[in-house]
Amino acid sequence: MSKLHSQDILYYIDTLLKYSNYGKAAKSLYISQPYLTQVIKKVESQLNCELINRSKLPYRLTEQGKIYYQYLTSLENSYAKLLREISDVSNTDSKVIKIGVLPSLGSYLMPLFIPIFLDIHPTCKINLLEDLPEKNEKLIQNNELDFWIGQNSSNISPNLNSVSWGRHSYRAIIPRCSELYQKDVAIIPEETIEISKILSQKLILTSKGSAIRKQIDQLLSVYKIQPEIIMESNDIYTVLKLAQHNLGLTFVPESINIEECPSEYNLYQIPVDKMSLDYFIAYHAERTLTNVDHDLINTFLTHG
């Protein structure tokens, strides 16, 4: 079984166990449901056993499935260790650093410190993987990434080490279609709207797994609100544009520059005790950092 294939199978199984539904899992993986079904059935046929117990919800691995899952995980870890050992004995002047980041976050953070880091280490190469946080977290846990840059370090796995900076707030974009909209007001004063009322509006949200969505889902749970979600997107800028064009209310971090347009929408800063974020750079807890790695972290902290 090829390296790429084993990685895909592992990710497919993880997603199936998460959603307990082939249709939802396939949609999350951006593949068709028949293809996902075919892949799982093919593996089960090759192994002559059932990997996932689908007779009741939620889906669970069978005993044979647990053995196969452990095999795939060890295969991924062994391959990552091989790459690491080869890299360790290679010329450090041509070191390659693999960094995972959410695309919209990368466009904001990477220009702040990567050019300065490469001035210090001009022969170092950065391989950037732009993907959703849950995918990047899985990759770094499997030692397939050197670093993961994201938001809200309190939400990451305990087997990752991280350093972070800042405590930044979010803003709500309140369009004309919302009952909370105030005509010809650019910025509504902070703490003048109850968070429960904001969450009860028609919402446009980033997809499940994003740093923003995790906090919103937590607030929805705390306030016991069944949200009316009009649309979801993996891209924060898509969510922002839809809100600005009067589809529904959304939330964006203050790092995103938004022009005031009181005739179309209000801006409202969410109190930091309700929603806030920090920016972190994380690495596997078992990883031994090199001097180059330390320079990357220090540049992130200093110039971020």
Side-chain angles (χ1 to χ4, degrees), residues 157-173:
S157 172
N159 67 344
L160 301 178
N161 291 336
S162 70
V163 291
S164 60
W165 56 267
R167 191 183 184 197
H168 308 278
S169 62
Y170 290 97
R171 287 177 290 181
I173 312 300

Side-chain angles (χ1 to χ4, degrees), residues 3 92 101 116 246 292:
K3 167 68 175 60
T92 56
V101 67
I116 299 169
N246 203 38
V292 177

